[in-house]
Amino acid sequence: MKECDIMSAQNDVERCEYIHAHDEIIAQVNQNMPDDEILYDLAELFKIFGDSTRIKILYVLFESEMCVCDIAQLLNMTQSAISHQLRALKQSKLVKYRREGKTVFYSLADDHVHTIINQGMEHLAE
Amino acid sequence: MKECDIMSAQNDVERCEYIHAHDEIIAQVNQNMPDDEILYDLAELFKIFGDSTRIKILYVLFESEMCVCDIAQLLNMTQSAISHQLRALKQSKLVKYRREGKTVFYSLADDHVHTIINQGMEHLAE
DNA sequence: CTTTCATATGAATTATTGTTCATATATTAT
DNA sequence: ATAATATATGAACAATAATTCATATGAAAG
């Protein structure tokens, strides 16, 4: 398969008879749609909020910074499970941590977490 | 295994020697933590945002209501894939729809979608 | 330096999820 | 009725992800 065939194959989607969206709208979509890479990252970020264990961890951290073991006990889960999830939260920069001897204290990284979760809650409440 | 064993087994989590969180904090966490069912629903909601195809659909709908086929063409995906994802968005009440003959037009349900996505974008930008 | 405690991590397993394919439903036109 | 078009949906498959288990790392104490 030649390169140009790959490109044209990409455009070989089923088409409906009438396109309802006007050219103006299509132009606006193309203009305002962020790059694929950014949209991918955005989805990855929301994926992090899409697990009840991580949501619970964030709720715990709303109250105070806390060490891994305390979080595990509060949520009645294993240290390993919590540690794995904290890693995900850390990689998304939703939590930060500081070490104090053997203990590692985690806390919320910034205020977007609050806003995002609150908006989610509001949406559910409707 | 007796019932009471199941109950007590639940509390048989590894414990660290020192609990750092003070009683006051633990009480606050227990008080402010929503019910498990709500936290589960919240995670389910964010799961919907956690897929780039659905994010793209939402971005398209930022511009205008649109029919399934137009969305499929704009995103260069099959009608079936888009329809499946629209169902997920519909079930989470993130989009609504109206029928006009053979065509079904989808649009954003409320403004939480904007806020949530914007906050996500802001977080990424930091 | 060895032991102990808190945390992190790799591998395996199980569960979930997105897309495709085939087909069903719904609406309009012939 | 029948055909044609737009959308929806069930089943299968492939890809991801959460938890567990075993073990590694890192820090403090003996």
Side-chain angles (χ1 to χ4, degrees), chain B residues 91-113:
Chain B
Q91 280 170 343
S92 306
K93 298 191 196 298
L94 294 174
V95 303
K96 56 185 198 280
Y97 65 97
R98 68 180 180 87
R99 180 150 218 147
E100 199 177 301
K102 293 177 255 179
T103 312
V104 177
F105 289 96
Y106 282 85
S107 57
L108 296 182
D110 66 45
D111 219 51
H112 293 127
V113 181

Side-chain angles (χ1 to χ4, degrees), chain A residues 28-35 39, chain B residues 55-56 59-60 75:
Chain A
Q28 271 185 12
V29 168
N30 287 323
Q31 188 190 327
N32 294 335
M33 178 83 68
D35 286 350
L39 294 173
Chain B
I55 290 277
K56 284 179 193 174
Y59 259 99
V60 168
L75 302 187

Side-chain angles (χ1 to χ4, degrees), chain B residues 5-41:
Chain B
D5 291 337
I6 296 169
M7 291 305 288
S8 63
Q10 288 247 337
N11 293 324
D12 255 0
V13 202
E14 324 137 66
R15 298 194 176 280
C16 39
E17 286 228 314
Y18 303 106
I19 296 176
H20 294 86
H22 301 303
D23 290 351
E24 191 197 337
I25 299 288
I26 293 173
Q28 272 185 12
V29 167
N30 287 323
Q31 189 191 327
N32 294 334
M33 179 85 68
D35 287 350
D36 260 40
E37 203 196 333
I38 292 177
L39 294 172
Y40 178 83
D41 290 346

Side-chain angles (χ1 to χ4, degrees), chain A residues 68-77 82, chain B residues 13-19:
Chain A
V68 181
C69 188
D70 284 359
I71 299 173
Q73 286 184 227
L74 269 167
L75 301 188
N76 209 9
M77 295 183 67
I82 298 299
Chain B
V13 202
E14 324 137 66
R15 298 194 176 280
C16 39
E17 286 228 314
Y18 303 106
I19 296 176

